[in-house]
Amino acid sequence: MMREVRESGGGWWCAGVRWPGEVPELGWSRGGRRRVSVLAYGAGLGFRAVGERHCVGARGNVCPLGAVVPGRSTGGRCAECARLDRAHSVAADTMADDPRTYRVYLAWFGPGLVKVGITGEERGAARLREQGAVAFSWLGRGPLMAARRTEEVLRAALGVPDRIPYARKRVERGRLPDTDERAAEVAGLYARAAALEGRGWPESLERLPLEVVDQVGIFGLDRAVEPVSEPLPASGPVRAVRELVDGGVVAGRLVAAAGPDLHLAVAGGGVVVLDTRLITGWDLTAESGSDVRVPLIDIGGGGVQGGLF
């Protein structure tokens, strides 16, 4: 990220974290130009926000209003662009004739924190990494509407939500049980889901065998990261960036990443979580060192730490 911003001379907008494979990337745009920077655990990463935050547009198109959006918005879009983006998503159920194959998955984020969802088969596990799923298993594959129907049946039968707030995921990510316990919970839920085959499970959806995929290693949550001398604290990070402001600085050493979140080791030995959905729409310039001078909030529902730090 440091190199990408320096080369631009400023004016690049970050599109957030992408997970095309098992290594996270930051996407960048400037006018019609696009580029990515691959992130490496242990490397320095930092920037300064400049000016105002603007709407990122919808479906690759620039916002026609050039609207200013709130710093705390994780969507980064004005109301009109958000509506257009949602209207063309799979979640909107407006693509009933989509010919692609979809997969139904069971995603685990922490003890008792599970969701069922669908993703295009050609995307592989990218969607699970984008959501920060600590572990997951595929459940089935088939046409879009069969996958959607199965998703609805399983949500009701298993008593799981259709979405989980990232704030809750961050809390659980800091106190994960061991690998075997994670796998056992996923396997137990898979067995309950498989038992529904023939009872609301569409015949056109092929059930896939249980195969628990654990992503703790991919996210960097399981090890010390060189040249950082110590691993993440056992209790996990305790602070997160609440929003960026004009002139605000976020800089540190990347020690882990999960979904849109980057875990940065900063001065004083702590780890601060940056949700990269908060940095879209800002002009960013490079910043080195280890410094955080933006409003922070305690992870886990504690008090807000106001002001610039």
Side-chain angles (χ1 to χ4, degrees):
M1 175 175 178
M2 300 291 292
R3 178 178 63 82
E4 299 289 349
V5 177
R6 284 198 186 97
E7 287 181 353
S8 75
W12 281 90
W13 284 11
C14 182
V17 171
R18 302 173 178 176
W19 290 90
E22 295 187 354
V23 178
E25 301 176 351
L26 281 177
W28 299 92
S29 66
R30 187 181 188 184
R33 299 172 60 190
R34 301 286 187 273
R35 59 171 60 178
V36 298
S37 49
V38 177
L39 298 176
Y41 299 140
L45 184 154
F47 59 83
R48 180 187 300 271
V50 179
E52 295 179 308
R53 187 187 189 193
H54 291 86
C55 173
V56 297
R59 299 287 158 176
N61 299 307
V62 176
C63 174
L65 303 177
V68 174
V69 295
R72 298 186 193 180
S73 167
T74 54
R77 294 184 172 90
C78 67
E80 180 62 17
C81 286
R83 184 187 67 79
L84 291 173
D85 189 69
R86 173 82 178 172
H88 292 86
S89 71
V90 172
D93 281 337
T94 58
M95 304 161 59
D97 58 348
D98 190 331
R100 294 174 295 175
T101 298
Y102 283 80
R103 289 199 172 201
V104 183
Y105 60 79
L106 180 69
W108 186 93
F109 301 92
L113 207 60
V114 184
K115 66 162 286 188
V116 175
I118 69 172
T119 184
E121 186 169 69
E122 76 280 359
R123 297 200 66 210
R127 181 62 179 151
L128 283 305
R129 292 187 286 268
E130 290 167 358
Q131 295 184 60
V134 175
F136 73 91
S137 178
W138 300 116
L139 292 172
R141 63 186 298 273
L144 173 59
M145 298 314 292
R148 178 65 77 201
R149 172 59 181 163
T150 304
E151 179 187 33
E152 294 171 353
V153 168
L154 294 178
R155 281 176 183 166
L158 301 180
V160 297
D162 60 350
R163 62 183 63 232
I164 298 172
Y166 276 96
R168 180 76 186 281
K169 296 177 186 178
R170 292 182 193 114
V171 172
E172 298 303 327
R173 199 182 299 151
R175 52 191 187 199
L176 296 174
D178 62 31
T179 305
D180 290 342
E181 188 173 339
R182 298 194 293 266
E185 186 168 349
V186 175
L189 286 164
Y190 175 92
R192 290 175 57 196
L196 296 171
E197 195 168 9
R199 293 188 294 144
W201 186 298
E203 293 182 1
S204 57
L205 193 92
E206 172 192 356
R207 181 162 63 87
L208 296 173
L210 171 68
E211 183 178 355
V212 179
V213 178
D214 195 285
Q215 303 196 114
V216 164
I218 292 173
F219 293 154
L221 299 171
D222 64 338
R223 60 186 182 275
V225 184
E226 295 297 340
V228 177
S229 60
E230 296 182 359
L232 289 173
S235 59
V238 295
R239 296 177 299 166
V241 172
R242 185 179 68 182
E243 62 182 312
L244 299 190
V245 293
D246 181 24
V249 173
V250 178
R253 193 169 299 278
L254 182 66
V255 293
D261 289 349
L262 302 181
H263 295 215
L264 301 173
V266 299
V271 175
V272 170
V273 175
L274 169 65
D275 183 341
T276 56
R277 297 175 301 170
L278 296 174
I279 69 178
T280 59
W282 284 97
D283 282 350
L284 302 175
T285 59
E287 192 77 22
S288 59
S290 179
D291 193 12
V292 177
R293 283 182 278 131
V294 294
L296 302 176
I297 188 170
D298 294 338
I299 293 175
V304 172
Q305 301 179 10
L308 300 182
F309 289 75

